[in-house]
Amino acid sequence: MTPLKGPEGFNQFYQDMYGERWPRIKEALLAPKKHVAVANPWSFYKFPDVPLEVSGLTFSHDVKDVFPQPEKTHHGYLNYYLLDAASILPVEALDILPGEKVVDLCAAPGGKSFLCAIKLKGEGLLISNDRSAARRARIHRIFDDYIPKSSQKNLTITSYDATKWSLYQKSMYDKVLLDAPCSSERHVLEDSKELNLWAPGRTKAIAISQFAMLASALDIVKVGGTIVYSTCALSKLENDDIIAKLYQKRAGRFELIRKEFSFGEPTEFGWQVLPDTSGWGPFYLAVVKRTR
Ligand SMILES: C[S@@+](CC[C@H](N)C(=O)[O-])C[C@H]1O[C@@H](n2cnc3c(N)ncnc32)[C@H](O)[C@@H]1O
């Protein structure tokens, strides 16, 4: 029997994956999102009231359903950056120290790169890479809106294909963030044209290039260095199955570091935030330490 496509196929595919939890996840995906505002240290912004905090986040932040659009403070830089709390977790999981050499392999529009830059405090190196020129322009804009030019000396924006990076460099970086392009089911659900085009082959095809990127990341990180692999996908094929494949194809070259956070839940190899429980996500991450 040919697999179902379009909205019916989508529903069946995720129903099979998440069972009786799927209708609650789907409802949460369609609900309005809440936001975290991460204060920009280069704008010297302080939240006016006592901020609501998400336990475990080390960035100065506040939580609301709706924030006003970011504005420049009198220092000339935007006051805060808005994002989903789950999107902060991969940067927390990287444990970046000032002075380290960090690559954000799929960086645009640049929210997580901005967080990495905060962690580096102007020391070391951050390479923010993205293959798309239009999307790289957004990284440039975020850096210029949030960070003085004099503090951007350790920040570089590049345009390489993440799947092929290891052909040119090996064992170079302390930390690698691979926030991979993914199925992004929230966006598919919100866009009827996308939903009508959905087919199960799509997540399988995306998973192939995600694995190629992770294999490349394992070669470019130093021995002893850390990779965080993350996606905003719900499909297990793009999450735990990618790490399972790394065990099959790169056995003995890495170990998994298990991290826990104040929201979300453990999976076989990583950590997943699903919107039906916390209102954040969907988001998946796994922490891989290169050992050889
Ligand atoms: C999930 S988004 C990254 C979001 C980003 N980390 C952030 O926090 O703003 C994935 C990005 O990967 C980029 N991309 C897709 N294929 C790529 C490749 N082969 N090499 C490098 N970048 C790629 C896309 O242009 C897209 O901007």
Side-chain angles (χ1 to χ4, degrees):
M1 207 171 67
T2 41
L4 286 171
K5 295 180 180 179
E8 225 182 311
F10 180 90
N11 218 35
Q12 189 62 56
F13 185 82
Y14 291 99
Q15 176 80 53
D16 290 348
M17 201 167 270
Y18 286 97
E20 57 183 32
R21 197 172 168 183
W22 170 239
R24 293 196 300 276
I25 295 174
K26 188 173 168 189
E27 193 186 328
L29 287 173
L30 291 165
K33 278 172 73 84
K34 49 184 182 174
H35 293 92
V36 167
V38 172
N40 177 13
W42 289 282
S43 74
F44 298 91
Y45 182 72
K46 296 267 179 298
F47 294 105
D49 312 313
V50 178
L52 262 182
E53 294 201 344
V54 181
S55 150
L57 299 188
T58 58
F59 296 91
S60 162
H61 68 279
D62 190 10
V63 183
K64 279 192 179 52
D65 289 340
V66 183
F67 281 94
Q69 278 307 302
E71 283 181 358
K72 285 186 177 171
T73 65
H74 67 274
H75 290 274
Y77 299 96
L78 292 179
N79 50 358
Y80 48 68
Y81 190 88
L82 296 174
L83 69 182
D84 187 305
S87 297
I88 302 174
L89 300 186
V91 182
E92 298 285 9
L94 268 179
D95 281 333
I96 294 171
L97 300 171
E100 288 187 323
K101 285 170 94 175
V102 182
V103 183
D104 184 356
L105 276 176
C106 295
K112 297 179 192 78
S113 266
F114 171 59
L115 300 182
C116 293
I118 295 178
K119 289 284 179 196
L120 282 173
K121 298 187 172 154
E123 296 170 34
L125 172 70
L126 173 63
I127 300 178
S128 301
N129 179 71
D130 204 282
R131 209 176 45 172
S132 153
R135 290 174 66 86
R136 276 196 310 282
R138 295 175 66 183
I139 312 179
H140 281 287
R141 203 176 320 136
I142 288 176
F143 283 0
D144 289 342
D145 283 345
Y146 285 86
I147 309 175
K149 276 271 183 258
S150 59
S151 299
Q152 290 189 31
K153 288 182 184 137
N154 66 327
L155 311 179
T156 304
I157 298 171
T158 59
S159 57
Y160 301 114
D161 178 349
T163 61
K164 300 203 168 80
W165 194 311
S166 61
L167 295 176
Y168 307 102
Q169 286 189 327
K170 295 209 191 298
S171 309
M172 289 280 291
Y173 301 99
D174 301 295
K175 304 280 162 72
V176 177
L177 175 58
L178 172 50
D179 187 38
C182 69
S183 278
S184 192
E185 292 89 347
R186 181 192 282 276
H187 296 118
V188 175
L189 260 183
E190 283 167 353
D191 182 338
S192 58
K193 214 167 115 196
E194 282 283 311
L195 194 54
N196 286 331
L197 288 172
W198 185 90
R202 189 172 150 165
T203 177
K204 291 179 189 153
I206 293 172
I208 289 170
S209 81
Q210 289 166 333
F211 179 76
M213 289 183 198
L214 184 56
S216 176
L218 190 63
D219 285 338
I220 71 170
V221 77
K222 291 175 184 169
V223 173
T226 308
I227 302 163
V228 170
Y229 172 78
S230 63
T231 76
C232 62
L234 286 168
S235 170
K236 193 170 170 285
L237 277 64
E238 301 174 40
N239 297 335
D240 270 352
D241 287 4
I242 299 291
I243 306 299
K245 194 167 171 186
L246 198 68
Y247 272 114
Q248 282 168 16
K249 307 262 184 191
R250 300 288 186 277
R253 289 196 52 204
F254 72 97
E255 64 186 33
L256 216 56
I257 308 281
R258 299 306 304 237
K259 298 261 178 186
E260 297 208 341
F261 301 95
S262 64
F263 58 103
E265 55 207 89
T267 64
E268 188 178 2
F269 299 121
W271 189 263
Q272 189 169 31
V273 179
L274 292 171
D276 59 331
T277 48
S278 62
W280 302 114
F283 206 80
Y284 170 87
L285 68 90
V287 185
V288 168
K289 180 176 172 184
R290 181 171 167 190
T291 54
R292 185 160 62 79

